[in-house]
Amino acid sequence: MKVVRFYAPGDLRYEDADEPTPGPDEVKIKVWATSTCGTDVKIFSAGHQNLDPPRVIGHEIAGEVVEVGSAVDGWQPGDRVQVIAAVPCGDCEECTHGKMSVCPNQVSMGYQFDGGFAEYMIVPRAVLKVDGLNRIPEGLSYAEASVAEPFACAINAQTLARVGEGDDVVVVGSGPIGCLHVRLARANGARRITLIELNRARLEQAAGIVKPDETICAGEVDVVQAVMDLTNGRGVDVAITATAAGIAQEQAVAYAARQGRISFFGGLPKDKPTITLDSNLVHYRELTIVGANGSSPANNKDALDRIATGAVPVLDLITHRLPLADVPKAIDIVRSGEGIKVTIEPQQ
């Protein structure tokens, strides 16, 4: 079979590999869709501390069961499935207390296990153990199902930030995750959603698809003032910073309303991990700041269900579909912001 394997920063190879055989407690799938994301760009550019090359990368995976290990129950060839990316251990204090998204023993597809940039792959026992292999609902395409993984991360974040009925919400960043946040906030009952983006072209592309109520181009105006003007000086109930920019986090604190909630969704670069926080704003406005960096297996199931019911559509976010050999091109598209969601289809 063909795979795309990461060897070192800048060294990604489309090459032959032996088709894998599942062990007794594993499942083999034919990969039909693996979507790309900003993390793939980071891995290609700089590697990752949890990834030991050579490794088949790709972690937003959907496919079809083709072989089932002798000790595995409940699955059979032909089943359409989506695979979680972040794999909790299921046994630690966090996992047993319902906090699987922050499992300290977490492993990941495409990091410790070969991922979805391949024609076939193995779903390991670790995934099956935590119920991380999900049935794709009838009528949902493989490409749509592959978007469930990043969407699950957005669900986790908005749950932590308590996004709900009547909220005035700001989403900063118009990439795939920002677009998903806009749609999820709408489904969660937000009364007004404002999308903020530094780049005018990217902002218009995203806004044309997800239709926020308001847009602000951060490259053209004072963001804090623009938000305060929009809200008659009140600020917003929820701010979600879906971008790796410290300034966006600082600004979110400044324009949050009293008892507002702020989600630091996008992690900051390792060489610039700190921000200047006006602690008095947090204190006097009674603000809540929450982090969010992943999802649980339950979030993945919820994501699939919401996509399948049409509550949060994702098909129109997939702007590019490319064959396996074009993973480097897909990464370039993600890096440039030219598209929104770029999906690799290994069976093309």
Side-chain angles (χ1 to χ4, degrees):
M1 67 171 183
K2 292 291 188 180
V3 303
V4 172
R5 195 174 272 131
F6 172 84
Y7 281 84
D11 186 0
L12 202 58
R13 305 180 196 174
Y14 175 65
E15 59 188 16
D16 292 312
D18 291 334
E19 196 171 309
T21 301
D25 52 4
E26 297 174 334
V27 171
K28 176 181 174 181
I29 68 171
K30 175 188 284 190
V31 182
W32 284 100
T34 299
S35 288
T36 56
C37 76
T39 302
D40 296 314
V41 175
K42 293 176 186 175
I43 291 171
F44 176 73
S45 301
H48 193 281
Q49 61 187 10
N50 296 330
L51 191 158
D52 294 323
R55 175 68 68 202
V56 177
I57 60 172
H59 55 272
E60 300 181 7
I61 305 161
E64 175 190 355
V65 174
V66 293
E67 194 174 343
V68 179
S70 58
V72 175
D73 294 322
W75 298 103
Q76 60 185 9
D79 287 341
R80 301 167 68 247
V81 294
Q82 179 258 347
V83 187
I84 62 171
V87 186
C89 71
D91 300 319
C92 68
E93 189 81 5
E94 282 74 20
C95 285
T96 55
H97 285 78
K99 303 174 185 176
M100 282 190 165
S101 65
V102 287
C103 170
N105 306 314
Q106 175 187 296
V107 290
S108 300
M109 301 306 299
Y111 292 72
Q112 288 86 358
F113 303 106
D114 279 342
F117 290 151
E119 292 180 301
Y120 295 89
M121 60 163 276
I122 297 297
V123 178
R125 177 182 180 276
V127 168
L128 301 176
K129 175 185 174 184
V130 294
D131 195 21
L133 187 62
N134 301 308
R135 294 186 190 279
I136 299 175
E138 201 66 38
L140 203 63
S141 70
Y142 289 111
E144 291 169 285
S146 72
V147 182
E149 191 282 323
F151 181 32
C153 298
I155 289 174
N156 178 45
Q158 292 205 21
T159 301
L160 291 167
R162 308 190 312 279
V163 178
E165 201 70 36
D167 280 337
D168 203 339
V169 177
V170 155
V171 176
V172 187
S174 66
I177 283 289
C179 290
L180 288 168
H181 271 300
V182 169
R183 286 208 163 143
L184 178 59
R186 184 82 68 206
N188 283 338
R191 66 179 172 86
R192 177 169 57 186
I193 304 164
T194 302
L195 181 61
I196 299 177
E197 165 64 50
L198 188 65
N199 182 283
R200 167 62 68 181
R202 286 200 295 267
L203 178 61
E204 290 180 354
Q205 179 189 35
I209 296 174
V210 297
K211 308 288 193 237
D213 299 291
E214 306 286 350
T215 61
I216 295 172
C217 182
E220 299 172 2
V221 298
D222 180 314
V223 169
V224 175
Q225 189 61 53
V227 172
M228 298 309 275
D229 288 346
L230 256 179
T231 58
N232 296 318
R234 176 179 177 270
V236 296
D237 300 296
V238 182
I240 300 166
T241 59
T243 181
I247 184 65
Q249 296 181 350
E250 294 174 356
Q251 290 170 341
V253 173
Y255 59 64
R258 287 167 175 78
Q259 292 195 347
R261 290 93 67 199
I262 301 153
S263 173
F264 285 177
F265 185 93
L268 300 186
K270 287 183 172 53
D271 58 343
K272 292 183 179 179
T274 61
I275 64 171
T276 299
L277 176 67
D278 188 334
S279 179
N280 276 338
L281 289 179
V282 177
H283 174 69
Y284 288 110
R285 294 187 191 173
E286 297 186 357
L287 303 181
T288 300
I289 300 173
V290 295
N293 84 326
S295 64
S296 68
N299 292 144
N300 270 259
K301 293 187 189 304
D302 188 11
L304 277 172
D305 287 343
R306 292 195 192 213
I307 296 170
T309 62
V312 179
V314 301
L315 187 59
D316 57 353
L317 299 181
I318 301 171
T319 55
H320 297 74
R321 296 169 183 252
L322 301 174
L324 187 60
D326 283 349
V327 168
K329 179 180 178 181
I331 288 174
D332 284 342
I333 292 170
V334 174
R335 181 192 288 114
S336 70
E338 175 190 335
I340 296 182
K341 205 66 190 161
V342 184
T343 299
I344 297 298
E345 298 182 328
Q347 306 304 322
Q348 276 193 38

Coordinates of all heavy atoms in Angstrom, one line a residue, residues 169-239:
V169 N -21.4 36.3 21.5 CA -20.2 35.5 21.4 C -19.2 36.1 20.4 O -19.7 36.5 19.3 CB -20.5 34.0 21.0 CG1 -19.2 33.2 20.9 CG2 -21.4 33.4 22.1
V170 N -18.0 36.2 20.7 CA -16.9 36.5 19.8 C -16.0 35.3 19.5 O -15.7 34.6 20.5 CB -16.0 37.7 20.3 CG1 -14.6 37.6 19.7 CG2 -16.7 39.0 20.0
V171 N -15.8 35.0 18.3 CA -14.8 34.0 17.9 C -13.6 34.7 17.2 O -13.9 35.4 16.2 CB -15.4 32.9 17.0 CG1 -14.4 31.9 16.5 CG2 -16.6 32.2 17.7
V172 N -12.4 34.5 17.6 CA -11.3 35.1 17.0 C -10.5 34.0 16.2 O -10.1 33.0 16.8 CB -10.3 35.7 18.1 CG1 -9.2 36.5 17.4 CG2 -11.1 36.6 19.0
G173 N -10.4 34.2 14.9 CA -9.7 33.3 14.1 C -10.7 32.6 13.1 O -11.7 32.0 13.6
S174 N -10.5 32.8 11.8 CA -11.5 32.3 10.8 C -11.0 31.0 10.1 O -11.4 30.7 9.0 CB -11.8 33.4 9.8 OG -10.6 33.6 9.0
G175 N -10.1 30.3 10.8 CA -9.7 29.0 10.2 C -10.8 27.9 10.4 O -11.9 28.3 10.8
P176 N -10.5 26.7 10.1 CA -11.5 25.6 10.3 C -12.1 25.6 11.7 O -13.3 25.5 11.8 CB -10.7 24.3 10.0 CG -9.5 24.8 9.2 CD -9.2 26.1 9.6
I177 N -11.3 25.7 12.7 CA -11.8 25.7 14.1 C -12.7 26.9 14.4 O -13.7 26.8 15.0 CB -10.7 25.5 15.1 CG1 -10.1 24.1 15.1 CG2 -11.1 25.9 16.5 CD1 -11.0 23.1 15.7
G178 N -12.2 28.0 13.9 CA -13.0 29.2 14.1 C -14.4 29.1 13.5 O -15.4 29.5 14.0
C179 N -14.4 28.6 12.2 CA -15.7 28.3 11.5 C -16.6 27.4 12.3 O -17.8 27.6 12.4 CB -15.4 27.8 10.1 SG -14.7 29.0 9.0
L180 N -16.0 26.3 12.8 CA -16.8 25.3 13.6 C -17.3 26.0 14.9 O -18.5 25.7 15.3 CB -15.9 24.1 13.9 CG -15.6 23.2 12.8 CD1 -14.5 22.2 13.2 CD2 -16.8 22.4 12.3
H181 N -16.5 26.8 15.5 CA -17.0 27.5 16.7 C -18.2 28.4 16.4 O -19.1 28.5 17.2 CB -15.9 28.3 17.3 CG -15.0 27.6 18.3 ND1 -15.6 27.0 19.4 CD2 -13.7 27.3 18.3 CE1 -14.6 26.4 20.1 NE2 -13.5 26.6 19.5
V182 N -18.1 29.1 15.2 CA -19.3 30.0 14.9 C -20.5 29.1 14.7 O -21.6 29.5 15.3 CB -19.0 30.7 13.6 CG1 -20.2 31.4 13.0 CG2 -17.9 31.8 13.8
R183 N -20.4 28.0 14.0 CA -21.6 27.2 13.8 C -22.1 26.5 15.1 O -23.3 26.4 15.4 CB -21.3 26.2 12.7 CG -21.3 26.8 11.4 CD -21.7 25.8 10.3 NE -22.0 26.5 9.1 CZ -21.7 26.1 7.8 NH1 -21.1 25.0 7.7 NH2 -22.1 26.8 6.8
L184 N -21.2 26.1 15.9 CA -21.5 25.5 17.2 C -22.2 26.5 18.1 O -23.2 26.2 18.8 CB -20.3 24.9 17.9 CG -20.6 24.2 19.2 CD1 -21.6 23.1 19.1 CD2 -19.3 23.6 19.8
A185 N -21.6 27.7 18.2 CA -22.3 28.8 19.0 C -23.7 29.0 18.6 O -24.6 29.2 19.4 CB -21.4 30.0 19.0
R186 N -23.9 29.0 17.3 CA -25.3 29.2 16.8 C -26.2 28.1 17.2 O -27.3 28.3 17.7 CB -25.2 29.3 15.2 CG -26.6 29.5 14.6 CD -26.9 31.0 14.6 NE -26.0 31.7 13.7 CZ -25.7 33.0 13.8 NH1 -26.3 33.7 14.8 NH2 -24.9 33.6 12.9
A187 N -25.7 26.9 17.1 CA -26.5 25.7 17.5 C -26.7 25.7 19.0 O -27.7 25.2 19.5 CB -25.8 24.4 17.1
N188 N -25.8 26.3 19.8 CA -25.9 26.3 21.3 C -26.8 27.5 21.7 O -27.0 27.7 22.9 CB -24.6 26.4 21.9 CG -23.8 25.1 21.9 OD1 -24.4 24.1 21.8 ND2 -22.5 25.2 22.1
G189 N -27.3 28.3 20.8 CA -28.3 29.3 21.1 C -27.8 30.7 21.2 O -28.5 31.6 21.7
A190 N -26.6 31.0 20.8 CA -26.0 32.3 20.9 C -26.9 33.3 20.1 O -27.4 32.9 19.0 CB -24.6 32.4 20.3
R191 N -27.1 34.5 20.6 CA -28.0 35.5 19.9 C -27.3 36.3 18.9 O -27.8 36.8 18.0 CB -28.7 36.3 21.0 CG -27.8 37.3 21.7 CD -28.7 38.1 22.7 NE -27.8 38.9 23.6 CZ -27.3 40.1 23.3 NH1 -27.6 40.7 22.1 NH2 -26.5 40.8 24.1
R192 N -26.0 36.5 19.2 CA -25.1 37.2 18.2 C -23.7 36.7 18.2 O -23.2 36.4 19.3 CB -25.1 38.7 18.5 CG -24.2 39.5 17.6 CD -24.3 41.0 17.7 NE -24.0 41.5 19.0 CZ -24.2 42.7 19.4 NH1 -24.7 43.6 18.5 NH2 -23.9 43.1 20.7
I193 N -23.2 36.5 17.0 CA -21.8 35.9 16.9 C -21.0 36.8 16.0 O -21.4 37.2 14.9 CB -21.8 34.5 16.3 CG1 -22.8 33.6 17.1 CG2 -20.4 33.9 16.2 CD1 -23.1 32.3 16.4
T194 N -19.9 37.2 16.6 CA -18.9 38.1 15.8 C -17.7 37.3 15.5 O -17.1 36.7 16.4 CB -18.6 39.4 16.6 OG1 -19.8 40.1 16.9 CG2 -17.7 40.3 15.9
L195 N -17.3 37.3 14.3 CA -16.0 36.7 13.8 C -14.9 37.7 13.6 O -15.2 38.7 12.9 CB -16.3 35.8 12.6 CG -15.1 35.1 12.0 CD1 -14.6 34.0 13.0 CD2 -15.5 34.4 10.7
I196 N -13.8 37.5 14.3 CA -12.7 38.4 14.2 C -11.5 37.7 13.5 O -11.2 36.6 13.8 CB -12.2 38.9 15.5 CG1 -13.4 39.7 16.2 CG2 -11.0 39.8 15.4 CD1 -13.1 40.2 17.6
E197 N -10.9 38.3 12.5 CA -9.8 37.8 11.8 C -8.8 38.9 11.4 O -9.3 40.0 11.0 CB -10.3 37.0 10.6 CG -9.3 36.6 9.5 CD -8.2 35.7 10.0 OE1 -8.5 34.6 10.6 OE2 -7.0 36.0 9.8
L198 N -7.5 38.6 11.4 CA -6.5 39.6 11.0 C -6.5 39.9 9.5 O -6.4 41.0 9.1 CB -5.1 39.2 11.5 CG -4.0 40.1 11.4 CD1 -4.2 41.3 12.3 CD2 -2.7 39.4 11.7
N199 N -6.7 38.8 8.7 CA -6.6 38.9 7.3 C -7.9 39.1 6.6 O -8.8 38.3 6.8 CB -5.9 37.6 6.8 CG -5.7 37.6 5.3 OD1 -6.6 37.4 4.5 ND2 -4.4 37.9 4.9
R200 N -8.1 40.2 5.9 CA -9.4 40.5 5.3 C -9.9 39.4 4.3 O -11.1 39.0 4.4 CB -9.3 41.9 4.5 CG -10.4 42.2 3.6 CD -11.8 42.4 4.4 NE -11.8 43.5 5.2 CZ -12.9 43.8 6.0 NH1 -14.0 43.0 5.9 NH2 -12.9 44.9 6.8
A201 N -9.0 38.9 3.5 CA -9.5 37.9 2.5 C -9.9 36.6 3.2 O -11.0 36.0 2.8 CB -8.3 37.6 1.6
R202 N -9.2 36.2 4.2 CA -9.6 35.0 5.0 C -10.9 35.2 5.7 O -11.8 34.3 5.8 CB -8.5 34.5 6.0 CG -7.3 33.9 5.3 CD -6.5 33.1 6.3 NE -5.9 33.9 7.3 CZ -4.7 34.4 7.3 NH1 -3.9 34.2 6.2 NH2 -4.2 35.1 8.2
L203 N -11.1 36.4 6.3 CA -12.3 36.8 7.0 C -13.5 36.7 6.0 O -14.5 36.1 6.4 CB -12.2 38.2 7.6 CG -13.4 38.7 8.3 CD1 -13.8 37.8 9.5 CD2 -13.2 40.2 8.7
E204 N -13.4 37.2 4.9 CA -14.5 37.2 3.9 C -14.8 35.8 3.4 O -16.0 35.5 3.2 CB -14.2 38.2 2.8 CG -14.2 39.7 3.2 CD -13.8 40.6 2.1 OE1 -13.5 40.1 1.0 OE2 -13.9 41.8 2.3
Q205 N -13.8 35.0 3.2 CA -14.0 33.7 2.7 C -14.8 32.9 3.8 O -15.8 32.2 3.5 CB -12.7 32.9 2.5 CG -12.9 31.5 2.0 CD -11.6 30.7 2.0 OE1 -10.7 30.9 2.8 NE2 -11.5 29.8 1.0
A206 N -14.4 33.0 5.0 CA -15.0 32.2 6.1 C -16.4 32.8 6.4 O -17.4 32.0 6.5 CB -14.2 32.3 7.4
A207 N -16.5 34.1 6.4 CA -17.8 34.7 6.7 C -18.9 34.4 5.6 O -20.1 34.2 5.9 CB -17.7 36.2 6.9
G208 N -18.4 34.3 4.4 CA -19.3 33.9 3.3 C -19.9 32.5 3.5 O -21.0 32.3 2.9
I209 N -19.2 31.7 4.2 CA -19.7 30.3 4.4 C -20.5 30.2 5.7 O -21.6 29.6 5.7 CB -18.6 29.3 4.4 CG1 -17.9 29.3 3.0 CG2 -19.0 27.9 4.7 CD1 -16.7 28.5 2.9
V210 N -19.9 30.6 6.8 CA -20.6 30.3 8.1 C -21.5 31.5 8.6 O -22.2 31.3 9.6 CB -19.5 30.0 9.2 CG1 -18.8 28.8 8.9 CG2 -18.5 31.2 9.4
K211 N -21.5 32.6 7.9 CA -22.5 33.7 8.2 C -22.6 34.1 9.6 O -23.6 34.0 10.3 CB -23.9 33.2 7.7 CG -23.9 32.6 6.3 CD -23.8 33.7 5.3 CE -24.2 33.3 3.9 NZ -23.2 33.4 2.9
P212 N -21.5 34.7 10.2 CA -21.6 35.3 11.5 C -22.5 36.5 11.4 O -22.7 37.0 10.3 CB -20.1 35.7 11.9 CG -19.5 35.9 10.5 CD -20.1 34.8 9.6
D213 N -23.0 37.0 12.6 CA -23.8 38.2 12.5 C -23.0 39.4 12.2 O -23.5 40.4 11.6 CB -24.5 38.3 13.9 CG -25.4 37.2 14.2 OD1 -26.4 37.0 13.5 OD2 -25.1 36.4 15.1
E214 N -21.8 39.4 12.7 CA -20.9 40.6 12.5 C -19.5 40.1 12.2 O -19.1 39.0 12.6 CB -20.8 41.5 13.8 CG -22.2 41.9 14.3 CD -22.8 43.0 13.5 OE1 -22.1 43.6 12.6 OE2 -24.0 43.4 13.7
T215 N -18.7 40.9 11.6 CA -17.3 40.6 11.4 C -16.4 41.8 11.7 O -16.9 42.9 11.6 CB -17.0 40.2 9.9 OG1 -17.3 41.3 9.0 CG2 -17.7 39.0 9.5
I216 N -15.2 41.5 12.2 CA -14.2 42.6 12.5 C -12.9 42.2 11.9 O -12.4 41.1 12.2 CB -14.1 42.8 14.0 CG1 -15.4 43.4 14.6 CG2 -12.9 43.8 14.3 CD1 -15.4 43.4 16.1
C217 N -12.3 43.0 11.1 CA -11.0 42.7 10.5 C -10.0 43.4 11.5 O -9.8 44.6 11.6 CB -10.8 43.3 9.1 SG -9.2 42.9 8.4
A218 N -9.3 42.5 12.2 CA -8.3 43.0 13.2 C -7.2 43.8 12.6 O -6.5 44.5 13.4 CB -7.8 41.8 14.0
G219 N -6.9 43.6 11.4 CA -5.8 44.3 10.7 C -6.2 45.7 10.4 O -5.3 46.5 9.9
E220 N -7.4 46.1 10.6 CA -7.9 47.4 10.1 C -8.4 48.3 11.2 O -8.6 49.5 11.0 CB -9.0 47.2 9.0 CG -8.6 46.5 7.8 CD -9.7 46.1 6.9 OE1 -10.9 46.5 7.2 OE2 -9.5 45.5 5.8
V221 N -8.8 47.8 12.4 CA -9.4 48.6 13.4 C -8.8 48.2 14.8 O -8.1 47.2 14.9 CB -10.9 48.3 13.5 CG1 -11.6 48.8 12.2 CG2 -11.2 46.9 13.8
D222 N -9.1 49.0 15.8 CA -8.8 48.7 17.2 C -9.9 47.6 17.6 O -11.1 48.0 17.7 CB -8.9 49.9 18.0 CG -8.6 49.7 19.5 OD1 -9.2 48.7 20.1 OD2 -7.9 50.4 20.1
V223 N -9.5 46.4 17.8 CA -10.4 45.3 18.1 C -11.2 45.5 19.3 O -12.5 45.4 19.3 CB -9.6 44.0 18.2 CG1 -10.6 42.9 18.7 CG2 -9.1 43.6 16.8
V224 N -10.6 45.9 20.4 CA -11.3 46.1 21.7 C -12.4 47.2 21.5 O -13.5 47.0 21.9 CB -10.4 46.5 22.8 CG1 -11.2 46.8 24.1 CG2 -9.4 45.3 23.1
Q225 N -12.0 48.3 20.9 CA -12.9 49.4 20.7 C -14.1 49.0 19.8 O -15.3 49.3 20.0 CB -12.2 50.6 20.1 CG -13.1 51.9 20.0 CD -13.6 52.3 21.4 OE1 -12.7 52.5 22.3 NE2 -14.9 52.5 21.6
A226 N -13.8 48.2 18.7 CA -14.8 47.7 17.8 C -15.8 46.8 18.5 O -17.0 46.9 18.2 CB -14.1 47.0 16.6
V227 N -15.3 45.9 19.3 CA -16.2 45.1 20.1 C -17.1 45.9 21.0 O -18.3 45.7 21.1 CB -15.5 43.9 20.8 CG1 -16.4 43.1 21.7 CG2 -14.8 43.0 19.8
M228 N -16.5 46.8 21.7 CA -17.2 47.6 22.7 C -18.3 48.5 22.0 O -19.4 48.7 22.5 CB -16.3 48.5 23.5 CG -15.3 47.7 24.4 SD -16.1 46.4 25.4 CE -16.5 47.3 26.8
D229 N -17.9 49.0 20.8 CA -18.9 49.8 20.0 C -20.1 48.9 19.6 O -21.2 49.3 19.6 CB -18.2 50.4 18.8 CG -17.3 51.5 19.1 OD1 -17.3 52.0 20.3 OD2 -16.4 51.9 18.2
L230 N -19.8 47.7 19.2 CA -20.8 46.7 18.7 C -21.8 46.4 19.8 O -23.0 46.2 19.6 CB -20.2 45.4 18.2 CG -20.1 45.2 16.7 CD1 -19.4 43.8 16.5 CD2 -21.5 45.2 16.1
T231 N -21.3 46.4 21.1 CA -22.1 45.9 22.2 C -22.5 47.1 23.1 O -22.9 46.9 24.3 CB -21.3 44.9 23.0 OG1 -20.1 45.5 23.5 CG2 -21.0 43.7 22.2
N232 N -22.5 48.3 22.6 CA -22.8 49.5 23.3 C -22.1 49.6 24.7 O -22.7 50.0 25.7 CB -24.4 49.5 23.6 CG -25.1 49.6 22.3 OD1 -24.8 50.4 21.4 ND2 -26.2 48.9 22.2
G233 N -20.8 49.2 24.6 CA -20.0 49.4 25.8 C -20.1 48.3 26.8 O -19.3 48.2 27.8
R234 N -20.9 47.3 26.6 CA -21.1 46.2 27.5 C -20.0 45.1 27.4 O -19.6 44.6 28.4 CB -22.5 45.5 27.3 CG -22.7 44.3 28.2 CD -24.1 43.7 28.0 NE -24.3 42.5 28.8 CZ -24.0 41.3 28.4 NH1 -23.5 41.1 27.2 NH2 -24.1 40.3 29.2
G235 N -19.6 44.8 26.2 CA -18.7 43.7 26.0 C -19.5 42.4 25.7 O -20.7 42.4 25.6
V236 N -18.8 41.3 25.6 CA -19.5 40.0 25.2 C -19.5 39.0 26.3 O -18.6 39.0 27.2 CB -18.8 39.4 23.9 CG1 -18.9 40.3 22.7 CG2 -17.3 39.1 24.2
D237 N -20.5 38.1 26.2 CA -20.6 37.1 27.3 C -19.5 36.0 27.1 O -19.0 35.5 28.1 CB -22.0 36.4 27.1 CG -23.1 37.4 27.3 OD1 -23.2 37.9 28.4 OD2 -23.8 37.6 26.3
V238 N -19.1 35.7 25.9 CA -18.1 34.7 25.7 C -17.2 35.1 24.6 O -17.6 35.6 23.5 CB -18.8 33.3 25.2 CG1 -17.7 32.2 25.0 CG2 -19.8 32.9 26.2
A239 N -15.9 34.9 24.8 CA -14.9 35.1 23.8 C -14.1 33.8 23.6 O -13.6 33.3 24.6 CB -13.9 36.3 24.2

